[in-house]
Amino acid sequence: MVHVFLSLPPSPPLYLSLSLSPADIISTVEFNHTGELLATGDKGGRVVIFQREPESKTEPFSQGEYNVYSTFQSHEPEFDYLKSLEIEEKINKIRWLPQQNAAQFLLSTNDKTIKLWKVSERDKRPEGYNLKDEEGRIKDICTVTSLQVPVLKPMDLMVEVSPRRVFANAHTYHVNSISVNSDYETYMSADDLRINLWHLDITDRSFNIVDIKPANMEDLTEVITAAEFHPHHCNLFVYSSSKGTLRLCDMREAALCDKHSKLSDVKFSHSGRYLLTRDYLTAKVWDLNMESKPLETYQVHDYLRSKLCSLYENDCIFDKFECAWNGSDSVIMTGAYNNFFRMFDRNTKRDVTLEASRESSKPRAVLKPRRVCAAGGKRRKDDISVDSLDFTKKILHTAWHPTENIIAIAATNNLYIFQDKLNSEMH
Amino acid sequence: MISTMECAVDAQSLISMSLMKIHNSRTQRGGIKLHKNLLVSYVLRNARQVYIKEKYAEIYRMQQYEEVMTVCNEIQELNPLDLDAEDTDDEEQTRAACCGEEASLCDAACQRGAAQPEAHARTASALLSGCPIEDGGKEPEPSDYRSCCMEASPLSHFDQFPALQDRHCNKTTVLDLDTHVVTTVENGYLYQDCCCDALQCGQGAQSPAKKRKVEFGCCISEVEEISDFTAARKRAKREDCSYSNPEYTDTSNISNLISIFGSGFSGLLSRQTDLEQICSKQALASLGAWTRAIVAF
């Protein structure tokens, strides 16, 4: 059955910004591998990490809420003096590394530079220094009469974020994707024309594994739009091109396997068996073993087909919608306009359109399914007609918790978190 | 909100939109977005192809109309009963008839400034149906006669043709003795350059040599100015011609931008090469032809 989603507390809504500053527009959303942490990047180069509160023992039926865990400035605007170009600080992608010790690591990238950040907690601090007093001032050596061993005392939790690596100067064009390999040692970064492979510990060199730049730029016909490593096979990765090809590459054999599609985003399923792609009007599921055509095609907003000319005029046709799998690979989700987002159940073939808005996001409010009626179609009450859609309200970035039915929806400068009603009631 | 009226399948508006987007991208923060500009350039090329194709069709119809008129003239001239007495009258009548049509066209053209905002609201099919041959006495919209080169050429070109400016009917029809192509220059803007040549080649020169009455004299100086003008515009025209794509027979394909963005475009480049060769030959041929053109009417 189609999941019923309700808005996750707390109120006030998370990440709410009353001003419509362009710097607050969320540009990427990503859960970590356990779903405990949720990172968002925005146009102003900031990263905000939310942490899920552990379930309260007094209220066993309530799920944990996401609260702000840490905020830091990841990238600053830069200027390339050689090309006289400003480099935007907008965070294009965030990818978490799998946790291997107490600290968390994430990669964040803007158009040119990828950075590795370490996120660690500090809840103890040493006290009892011999040479410094409590405020940190150097003591006069004459006043030191005895020696003591500093001890660790508990303190209020402090989250520290520090840059560990900066991977720079490897991309001539705009970086659009990063993807961590399943070997947890390497990752790749893709720009419009090239894909580079990095080792996480080495910042001064990278290997170029894909290069589609033509000898003469006047012959340019396609760009790379997305790239991702296979979740299990460390030698396999896929990249999509604007021309309509999906290329599955095996780094060991330098082998290519082409599929044809029209793509703005590509995601492996958790199982590694399927690929989910998103083009402007549809979402498609591909079987890695079947090259000729997609396994399933889902119409996201086909009613826009008659509006393509206007959408070209207002630049909406260039919007790149992302797509997401749920934990069991049975449901796919993607965004649309008017702050609508859609979910498709692959097994039941049912779908639903939901809206991320302040009215529908009061805590515990159940999201009401919406419907867009095509122009001239039979209109029910509460239906929205195609002509009334607000094309400035677009949901480009969505993320699904890796194991539970919790979704994060970025609507311009607001972040909405919804969870499945079933989850909260049945435990 | 997007109203259905705005979504006009107008190749010309797509061209200007695309050019505006390319221009704006140069001042965008963060540098030029390669993917977006690639898509915009594809839309631009395809829109221009459709636009030129429309022009071909329209010019062909104009040519057909003029051939019909020529045949009528010949029939009138050859009639022995009318030859002596009514010769002059018929000439004037036919001229009046032709000029009457042309005057209405010119009037419409002269009013193009006023009708410009309407151009964007019409579909491409309306452009084609605006031709007088199909719609009897319907006055065609002025933008029907606006060629691709008119987009790029500023109004200062008007100054090159002071004689034309003074005339109420700013239209000059030229007969090329080499290729037997009839070309019309209207308001200083040429719109039958190599397109006519393409039709001539394409149609197998079925149009007979035109036996129109011609006028010499003061019109020759205008021809020289026109040849300078066409030389300047030749390059732009060649580029326009090179993007003709017979695949886009249906102008409503422009509205299906998904097909534009989604198609492989692999054939586009090879077709361009072929058409470039054809058009460059035509351009050279027309350049030579201009030096021997004779002005009619």
Side-chain angles (χ1 to χ4, degrees):
Chain A
M1 61 179 282
V2 178
H3 302 286
V4 174
F5 277 86
L6 51 82
S7 175
L8 200 65
S11 64
L14 295 165
Y15 210 70
L16 178 60
S17 171
L18 292 174
S19 69
L20 288 174
S21 159
D24 295 333
I25 294 173
I26 300 170
S27 50
T28 185
V29 184
E30 184 80 0
F31 280 102
N32 76 337
H33 291 258
T34 60
E36 185 209 352
L37 297 174
L38 174 67
T40 64
D42 67 20
K43 260 190 116 171
R46 283 180 306 248
V47 172
V48 181
I49 304 176
F50 300 89
Q51 185 189 40
R52 193 179 185 193
E53 297 299 321
E55 285 186 37
S56 165
K57 290 190 171 45
T58 56
E59 289 177 65
F61 295 135
S62 79
Q63 291 289 323
E65 308 163 353
Y66 282 87
N67 292 323
V68 176
Y69 180 64
S70 175
T71 304
F72 62 96
Q73 187 74 32
S74 169
H75 287 73
E76 297 275 3
E78 290 172 51
F79 198 80
D80 182 339
Y81 296 99
L82 275 178
K83 296 178 189 168
S84 292
L85 279 181
E86 192 177 6
I87 300 169
E88 269 192 295
E89 67 276 27
K90 174 169 77 95
I91 308 294
N92 292 334
K93 279 289 184 313
I94 290 175
R95 289 288 182 260
W96 290 91
L97 266 59
Q99 190 173 15
Q100 291 177 299
N101 51 37
Q104 299 275 359
F105 288 86
L106 65 81
L107 286 168
S108 67
T109 184
N110 69 348
D111 282 341
K112 298 286 182 186
T113 305
I114 306 120
K115 294 185 183 178
L116 177 69
W117 295 90
K118 178 179 176 184
V119 184
S120 51
E121 291 182 358
R122 187 194 290 271
D123 59 357
K124 296 184 184 55
R125 69 161 181 228
E127 286 180 10
Y129 282 104
N130 292 294
L131 299 176
K132 288 188 291 187
D133 64 15
E134 294 304 316
E135 278 80 35
R137 288 184 293 244
I138 306 288
K139 283 183 187 170
D140 187 357
I141 197 102
C142 309
T143 63
V144 177
T145 54
S146 62
L147 289 176
Q148 58 185 349
V149 176
V151 291
L152 290 172
K153 298 260 178 79
M155 58 176 268
D156 290 339
L157 179 68
M158 199 167 74
V159 179
E160 291 180 332
V161 181
S162 58
R164 304 303 290 180
R165 304 272 188 275
V166 177
F167 304 92
N169 303 321
H171 286 282
T172 311
Y173 303 96
H174 294 159
V175 175
N176 53 53
S177 311
I178 47 176
S179 178
V180 183
N181 204 343
S182 50
D183 64 6
Y184 303 156
E185 286 186 353
T186 57
Y187 76 97
M188 69 169 163
S189 57
D191 67 23
D192 289 326
L193 297 178
R194 297 190 178 100
I195 301 179
N196 293 332
L197 183 70
W198 301 82
H199 192 284
L200 283 165
D201 290 333
I202 301 169
T203 60
D204 59 354
R205 59 181 176 275
S206 64
F207 291 102
N208 176 247
I209 53 177
V210 174
D211 189 341
I212 63 167
K213 184 181 174 184
N216 185 357
M217 276 300 272
E218 288 177 8
D219 300 332
L220 181 73
T221 55
E222 62 177 333
V223 298
I224 296 169
T225 50
E228 197 180 51
F229 269 117
H230 192 281
H232 309 308
H233 302 301
C234 57
N235 57 310
L236 288 181
F237 68 94
V238 67
Y239 75 91
S240 58
S241 91
S242 60
K243 205 173 185 176
T245 54
L246 244 185
R247 287 202 159 93
L248 186 65
C249 307
D250 188 334
M251 290 195 290
R252 288 178 193 162
E253 298 172 5
L256 293 184
C257 157
D258 290 1
K259 297 179 202 298
H260 286 265
S261 181
K262 316 160 194 177
L263 306 166
S264 62
D265 191 24
V266 60
K267 289 263 169 44
F268 274 104
S269 65
H270 291 93
S271 62
R273 208 186 135 196
Y274 302 106
L275 276 166
L276 173 62
T277 63
R278 174 74 156 98
D279 58 68
Y280 191 64
L281 294 182
T282 67
K284 292 182 175 132
V285 175
W286 302 76
D287 188 323
L288 283 193
N289 300 320
M290 193 161 77
E291 290 176 39
S292 53
K293 61 186 176 71
L295 208 58
E296 297 145 25
T297 301
Y298 300 95
Q299 301 293 334
V300 180
H301 37 202
D302 202 56
Y303 45 77
L304 296 183
R305 205 173 276 276
S306 59
K307 299 250 174 240
L308 291 177
C309 200
S310 303
L311 294 167
Y312 178 72
E313 188 171 2
N314 61 16
D315 276 358
C316 283
I317 206 165
F318 303 109
D319 288 334
K320 294 194 177 180
F321 292 95
E322 292 174 7
C323 48
W325 296 90
N326 74 337
S328 59
D329 297 337
S330 61
V331 181
I332 61 170
M333 171 173 68
T334 188
Y337 292 108
N338 210 72
N339 277 356
F340 287 168
F341 59 99
R342 304 208 66 199
M343 290 189 214
F344 300 89
D345 191 316
R346 295 179 59 215
N347 299 324
T348 65
K349 301 300 178 197
R350 290 180 64 173
D351 61 83
V352 67
T353 303
L354 300 171
E355 183 180 359
S357 68
R358 304 225 188 124
E359 292 75 33
S360 66
S361 307
K362 299 187 175 59
R364 305 274 164 213
V366 174
L367 290 179
K368 191 175 65 169
R370 307 304 306 268
R371 205 176 93 107
V372 178
C373 62
K378 191 178 167 189
R379 194 178 158 169
R380 297 185 220 151
K381 190 191 161 203
D382 288 342
D383 279 1
I384 308 267
S385 85
V386 185
D387 296 325
S388 310
L389 291 174
D390 187 345
F391 289 89
T392 60
K393 294 186 187 167
K394 52 192 90 170
I395 291 177
L396 303 172
H397 312 288
T398 59
W400 204 308
H401 190 286
T403 52
E404 296 184 36
N405 284 335
I406 301 174
I407 54 177
I409 310 286
T412 319
N413 54 349
N414 291 327
L415 180 73
Y416 296 90
I417 300 183
F418 303 110
Q419 77 174 30
D420 192 347
K421 192 160 175 262
L422 280 170
N423 258 3
S424 62
E425 283 182 349
M426 283 179 60
H427 291 273
Chain B
M1 299 231 324
I2 296 176
S3 72
T4 49
M5 285 303 292
E6 287 177 39
C7 189
V9 183
D10 189 331
Q12 198 169 355
S13 64
L14 275 178
I15 289 168
S16 45
M17 263 194 265
S18 304
L19 291 171
M20 183 69 71
K21 287 183 197 301
I22 291 172
H23 172 75
N24 289 339
S25 71
R26 286 160 201 248
T27 51
Q28 237 170 15
R29 203 170 161 248
I32 296 174
K33 289 180 175 36
L34 200 60
H35 189 194
K36 181 178 173 183
N37 275 264
L38 193 64
L39 294 174
V40 170
S41 69
Y42 280 138
V43 173
L44 179 63
R45 282 187 202 176
N46 288 315
R48 287 167 81 187
Q49 286 170 20
V50 170
Y51 190 85
I52 288 165
K53 205 171 180 340
E54 291 168 17
K55 282 297 160 194
Y56 280 148
E58 192 174 303
I59 288 159
Y60 177 63
R61 271 194 286 275
M62 286 294 293
Q63 201 175 21
Q64 297 253 301
Y65 165 73
E66 282 163 358
E67 285 171 19
V68 166
M69 290 307 300
T70 309
V71 169
C72 290
N73 288 347
E74 288 167 9
I75 291 168
Q76 291 282 351
E77 289 159 22
L78 291 171
N79 191 332
L81 295 174
D82 296 337
L83 197 57
D84 298 326
E86 301 171 25
D87 183 26
T88 328
D89 292 338
D90 280 337
E91 204 178 293
E92 285 172 359
Q93 274 175 23
T94 51
R95 247 189 241 172
C98 286
C99 261
E101 280 292 342
E102 289 167 357
S104 70
L105 297 176
C106 292
D107 283 343
C110 292
Q111 290 163 21
R112 79 165 177 237
Q116 196 163 357
E118 293 175 12
H120 283 262
R122 287 182 297 103
T123 63
S125 56
L127 274 175
L128 292 172
S129 66
C131 184
I133 292 169
E134 289 182 12
D135 293 312
K138 179 186 168 184
E139 210 166 87
E141 295 295 334
S143 59
D144 285 353
Y145 300 98
R146 195 181 302 164
S147 70
C148 289
C149 67
M150 289 167 85
E151 289 289 347
S153 51
L155 285 172
S156 59
H157 276 266
F158 228 75
D159 298 332
Q160 296 180 13
F161 307 100
L164 294 176
Q165 257 186 323
D166 295 339
R167 288 162 59 180
H168 169 70
C169 188
N170 295 336
K171 193 171 177 198
T172 309
T173 307
V174 179
L175 169 66
D176 188 320
L177 290 180
D178 279 342
T179 58
H180 301 289
V181 167
V182 177
T183 312
T184 307
V185 178
E186 188 173 79
N187 289 332
Y189 291 95
L190 171 71
Y191 62 92
Q192 286 191 19
D193 197 13
C194 63
C195 306
C196 260
D197 292 341
L199 286 170
Q200 194 71 17
C201 300
Q203 303 304 325
Q206 285 174 5
S207 53
K210 296 181 175 41
K211 292 181 185 173
R212 265 198 214 187
K213 296 232 176 220
V214 293
E215 285 184 357
F216 296 83
C218 63
C219 301
I220 293 289
S221 60
E222 289 160 9
V223 171
E224 288 171 356
E225 290 171 356
I226 289 161
S227 70
D228 290 339
F229 180 81
T230 53
R233 293 258 66 85
K234 173 175 68 73
R235 186 160 176 233
K237 276 298 194 181
R238 194 186 300 154
E239 287 171 1
D240 291 337
C241 287
S242 70
Y243 295 130
S244 286
N245 187 351
E247 184 179 307
Y248 284 91
T249 51
D250 183 3
T251 54
S252 65
N253 272 342
I254 276 294
S255 70
N256 191 357
L257 291 175
I258 291 299
S259 68
I260 291 171
F261 294 156
S263 69
F265 297 111
S266 53
L268 183 69
L269 294 174
S270 60
R271 273 197 282 276
Q272 279 178 0
T273 318
D274 296 337
L275 286 162
E276 263 174 3
Q277 289 172 358
I278 292 168
C279 272
S280 59
K281 285 178 198 163
Q282 290 162 2
L284 289 171
S286 66
L287 185 61
W290 271 117
T291 59
R292 299 183 50 194
I294 295 169
V295 177
F297 292 123

